[in-house]
Amino acid sequence: MRVLICGGAGYIGSNMTFLLTEKGCDPIVFDNFSKGHRTAVRRAELVEGDLADYDLLVNTLKDRNIEAVMHFAASIEVGESVRVPLEYYRNNFCNTRNLLQAMETAGIEKFVFSSTAAVYGRPAEIPITEECPKDPINPYGQSKWAVERMCHYQSRTGRLRYAALRYFNACGAGGNATLGEDHRPESHLIPLIIRAAMGRRDSISIFGTDYPTPDGTCIRDYIHIDDLCMAHLLALDKLDTSSELVYNLGNGSGYSVRQVIETVRKIAGKDFKVTEAERRAGDPPVLTSDAAKAKKELGWEPQKPELEEMVESAWKWHNDHPNGYPD
Ligand code: UFG
């Protein structure tokens, strides 16, 4: 199958491209390199372009005989989204609308969309099921939720078959630990702790130690990037027979910030400085998933549910790439 991977040079997109190649599919990467890395794209055709470029999108979809689109090209920083909301609506919503319009013009129906646990805002219940109220508390989550609604209405016309996959905390390095996480600037917990353990930063700060959790720090549901990508493959298959799919993707087990720090300490075998800081704006205390629906309907079963395995792969990648990707 010929699949266009929008954002295929980014962290999740490059891992998805790798998996599709392994499975004998034919991924074509579409990326503007605003955040992605050229060296993260391997063994796949590359189209350099922007999702705002409607003509390029239509031509790419038609010329390459694309059969399905996976969309990973989004802005993902909650804090930044609060500072520049219009930018988040432009990139995450307007550009996705442009992509869907190009797909309609080219007659392509299958679409796998990266959504997020941020659509639930501060969840009323833990673990979170897909039915929990959608009440995003920041422009990032709101922009993703707006796309989900757009997909819902477009699917009702009969011209779109889509899967919205709501990620919890993706982490680890895939492709046998050769495709890792390299955001610039980095804001994600595991890569930042690893850098502290490698001596590449002075310390790691815990954002908030007075949350209503057993050790006072935030709890998140971490999912290995390989397991996350496998769910995309299964969802894509299921679009043969379904027009609208929505799934949470997580392991269901929560780890506190302190537990993640301890896990990195153990895997790295190194000590480093930990400081306690104020809460970060917009952080819900606990986010854990109920992913029973994906398991039941897709037959998805995470193969690497242990945090240690996720951290091990990330630790290896960061040590193999102390300066991140070369470009
Ligand atoms: N944290 C720290 N110190 C740090 C960095 C993070 O204590 O230096 C804490 C955060 O406050 C949070 C936890 O570690 O409690 C996890 O933070 P991340 O930034 O790694 O992940 P988030 O849960 O905030 O974000 C994840 C995805 C985002 C997505 C968000 C929305 O990584 O891309 O979920 O659901 F936007």
Side-chain angles (χ1 to χ4, degrees):
M1 175 178 273
R2 295 178 69 78
V3 187
L4 191 72
I5 311 289
C6 300
Y11 170 49
I12 302 177
S14 61
N15 276 281
M16 191 69 229
T17 303
F18 178 87
L19 179 62
L20 285 167
T21 314
E22 290 285 289
K23 296 287 177 191
C25 294
D26 194 4
I28 289 133
V29 168
F30 188 96
D31 205 294
N32 66 1
F33 294 103
S34 60
K35 297 281 180 187
H37 306 282
R38 285 175 200 276
T39 48
V41 182
R42 303 194 304 240
R43 296 193 290 156
E45 189 190 343
L46 171 66
V47 178
E48 184 164 357
D50 197 283
L51 288 176
D53 189 341
Y54 178 75
D55 291 340
L56 179 63
L57 277 174
V58 173
N59 290 338
T60 302
L61 293 169
K62 285 184 175 169
D63 294 351
R64 308 300 200 284
N65 297 315
I66 300 293
E67 296 160 84
V69 175
M70 290 187 171
H71 180 24
F72 302 92
S75 304
I76 59 163
E77 299 276 338
V78 169
E80 183 184 55
S81 80
V82 175
R83 291 192 297 279
V84 287
L86 296 184
E87 180 52 24
Y88 272 65
Y89 277 88
R90 184 194 65 76
N91 193 29
N92 293 0
F93 183 79
C94 299
N95 281 349
T96 307
R97 189 215 159 274
N98 210 37
L99 174 59
L100 291 180
Q101 182 72 67
M103 287 174 62
E104 182 178 291
T105 302
I108 293 151
E109 291 183 352
K110 288 183 189 170
F111 185 58
V112 180
F113 174 63
S114 302
S115 190
T116 170
V119 300
Y120 298 110
R122 285 196 186 83
E125 282 172 27
I126 294 291
I128 303 168
T129 68
E130 289 83 355
E131 300 313 312
C132 281
K134 269 58 78 183
D135 191 10
I137 55 171
N138 50 61
Y140 167 71
Q142 192 62 251
S143 66
K144 291 280 185 175
W145 177 231
V147 170
E148 282 201 32
R149 298 316 292 158
M150 176 167 60
C151 290
H152 166 74
Y153 288 114
Q154 179 69 353
S155 75
R156 291 232 168 148
T157 67
R159 299 192 289 274
L160 181 72
R161 313 168 79 80
Y162 82 101
L165 304 180
R166 297 178 185 152
Y167 307 164
F168 283 68
N169 288 59
C171 66
N176 303 316
T178 62
L179 293 166
E181 203 170 351
D182 183 5
H183 300 105
R184 300 181 194 181
E186 188 56 77
S187 66
H188 293 88
L189 183 63
I190 291 176
L192 288 175
I193 305 174
I194 286 176
R195 285 188 196 179
M198 291 171 73
R200 297 187 74 87
R201 50 184 288 135
D202 291 343
S203 61
I204 181 75
S205 294
I206 301 178
F207 296 149
T209 54
D210 58 350
Y211 283 101
T213 61
D215 69 15
T217 68
C218 284
I219 291 176
R220 292 289 180 272
D221 180 347
Y222 294 89
I223 172 169
H224 195 292
I225 186 77
D226 286 344
D227 287 330
L228 190 78
C229 290
M230 185 53 77
H232 288 64
L233 209 56
L234 297 168
L236 179 61
D237 275 350
K238 198 169 171 64
L239 287 180
D240 284 340
T241 52
S242 314
S243 60
E244 180 168 41
L245 300 170
V246 178
Y247 297 115
N248 285 340
L249 297 180
N251 280 299
S253 36
Y255 293 91
S256 72
V257 174
R258 288 194 203 279
Q259 286 175 314
V260 178
I261 291 172
E262 279 320 306
T263 305
V264 175
R265 248 194 202 122
K266 189 173 148 202
I267 302 290
K270 298 205 168 141
D271 207 2
F272 46 89
K273 192 170 154 199
V274 177
T275 60
E276 298 186 357
E278 291 298 302
R279 290 182 178 196
R280 189 173 70 175
D283 273 343
V286 182
L287 286 177
T288 57
S289 68
D290 179 336
K293 188 169 174 241
K295 291 179 180 171
K296 180 163 176 272
E297 295 185 7
L298 296 177
W300 178 62
E301 200 50 60
Q303 301 299 304
K304 300 175 180 175
E306 301 300 328
L307 182 62
E308 290 188 8
E309 199 169 353
M310 303 177 208
V311 168
E312 250 164 24
S313 66
W315 173 248
K316 176 169 184 350
W317 187 82
H318 281 275
N319 279 278
D320 290 346
H321 303 79
N323 298 310
Y325 284 107
D327 51 314

